[in-house]
Amino acid sequence: MIVDLERCVGCGKCVEDCPLGAISLIEEKAVISQKLCVNCQTCAKVCPEEAITKEAEPLPGRVRCDACPIGCEIALGKTGACKRFQNEDGRLVRTVPLHTFADIKDIVGPDYEEAIRRPLITAIGAGTTYPDARPAPYIVQGKSDGIDVVTVVTEAPLSYSGIKVKIDTDKTIGEEGAPVLIKGRKVGHVTTEEYGSKILSIGGANLLTGKNCFTVARTIVEIANREPVELRVKKGSTLKMQVGKAPVIDGEVIQKMRVGCGSASMGLFTPFFKEAADEVIVLDSHLTGLFTEHAAGRYVNARYSGIQLRGRKSTPGRYFQDQGHGWGGTSITNPLEIIAGVDEEIAWDGMTLLITETTGERASMFRWNGKGFEEIPLTAAAQRAVGVINNTAQPSRVSAIYVAGAGGSARAGVTKYPIKLTQAVHACKACLTVGGAPTFIFPGGGITFAVDVERVKRGAFTWVPTPATVAPIEYTMRHDDYIEMGGHQEAMKPFDVVVKDLKKVMV
């Protein structure tokens, strides 16, 4: 990398962000160590004065890494920007050797044994004992895989609870952090976007103790029980949604979720794009891809088209875009708006251009006439490429994860020593399930869990106006471990007796 000393103001941003510590400030000017620099261009991207540029020619004696779009040029004995690969005698070697599972099994830690993975009974319909000092409603002893096990169940009111809602769409629904409302009352917010999906956080301890607490509790439960709800993002979209079904955003039923970003599409469909047109642009609000400039296009020797895209360039052929209600979740409503310019010295008459979305739902084709692009019908090869994208895109749907803390007083209904239950859960000696469904236990203190609500019987979640949501909680463990943790032996009943009594009730 080359520093223009006239432009450099010595702000030090390049020093802070250089991944290899290759830059220092000397007399308030950036100085780059040529021994360490790999031309990753991080410094150029953060320089507010545009004082740093890449050298025109590759650095001599370097090996170019192709493990990612950056393309570091690595000197002998040095590593690339990610520090994963090192130049050893002119070849790139991973700095960490391949690991077998045996190498890391102690780090991964124990897993549940099969006998305690599933409860003898669920907590659905079990009821709740209050105060918690009393034993849980059902403490059942039985056999599983020939091993004596105990399942303790309760329908626990959980004031630390909420639900994360995943909406498969590239449509813009509102700004990250924007409040989510139901009939004007705040029940959550838009949180970090995940791959191909928007995420809402509904509820949580703070909202469950706020002025809209009952609305919040009811909304969590309705979503968890897969009932339809209608929400509005402040200064954003109206959402009609139901877990397991396609979302309706601003009145539009969302049919498909994207297959990946525009850059990922380049790698996914390389042979189809090579055949489809001379140039292919995949519009996406995260990363828009330009095929002939992208590594995938270069891999198949695609001829560069001379097209330049609008947006902030990440690496060759990959451009960050804004968000909006246009193509690919961008603000672009006319696909040609993505083009910032065309190098007429490089483009050629008759050059074809395919522009599509990451769902393949919209696509247009154009031909360069020397002065501009004129729209033409999609060729058979272009239709095939768009069809492959569309067929690869999965149906859009709404899903949800219920998250709550079970590390509170409800543990007293399981054992006289609650900390021992917490320790057993984290040691995989006590398996927590919700309505029989497996859970993910958050690391760290307490018992915070997450469960896919679609694996729990519809209607199993309720709420009480304390307020709190109520979830069916089961703990299953070996009988010996239950006795050791100070479990309520006096309340224990044989599984056969409990089932027999249950049948009597049902009759």
Side-chain angles (χ1 to χ4, degrees), residues 107-191:
I107 298 172
V108 174
D111 199 355
Y112 300 107
E113 63 178 315
E114 195 61 32
I116 66 170
R117 283 185 178 277
R118 293 176 179 80
L120 295 171
I121 62 170
T122 77
I124 299 172
T128 310
T129 47
Y130 188 82
D132 296 312
R134 292 191 292 161
Y138 288 92
I139 302 176
V140 180
Q141 179 185 4
K143 290 276 189 184
S144 176
D145 282 357
I147 296 172
D148 288 327
V149 301
V150 174
T151 295
V152 185
V153 306
T154 184
E155 291 178 309
L158 303 169
S159 56
Y160 276 81
S161 60
I163 196 162
K164 301 292 185 291
V165 183
K166 177 171 172 283
I167 304 170
D168 299 332
T169 182
D170 59 2
K171 302 289 182 186
T172 299
I173 62 171
E175 289 188 3
E176 191 170 310
V180 175
L181 313 172
I182 185 165
K183 296 181 179 178
R185 296 174 174 177
K186 181 179 177 181
V187 296
H189 63 273
V190 179
T191 187

Side-chain angles (χ1 to χ4, degrees), residues 325-370:
H325 297 283
W327 281 48
T330 69
S331 62
I332 293 171
T333 54
N334 177 347
L336 288 178
E337 293 173 4
I338 188 62
I339 297 176
V342 178
D343 187 334
E344 297 183 11
E345 297 296 320
I346 297 176
W348 61 96
D349 286 354
M351 180 180 77
T352 55
L353 166 65
L354 172 65
I355 304 179
T356 184
E357 298 176 297
T358 52
T359 59
E361 290 178 301
R362 285 186 284 191
S364 292
M365 194 158 191
F366 306 91
R367 179 180 287 116
W368 178 253
N369 61 16

Side-chain angles (χ1 to χ4, degrees), residues 368-381:
W368 178 253
N369 61 16
K371 295 181 179 178
F373 283 106
E374 54 188 23
E375 188 163 6
I376 60 174
L378 266 66
T379 63

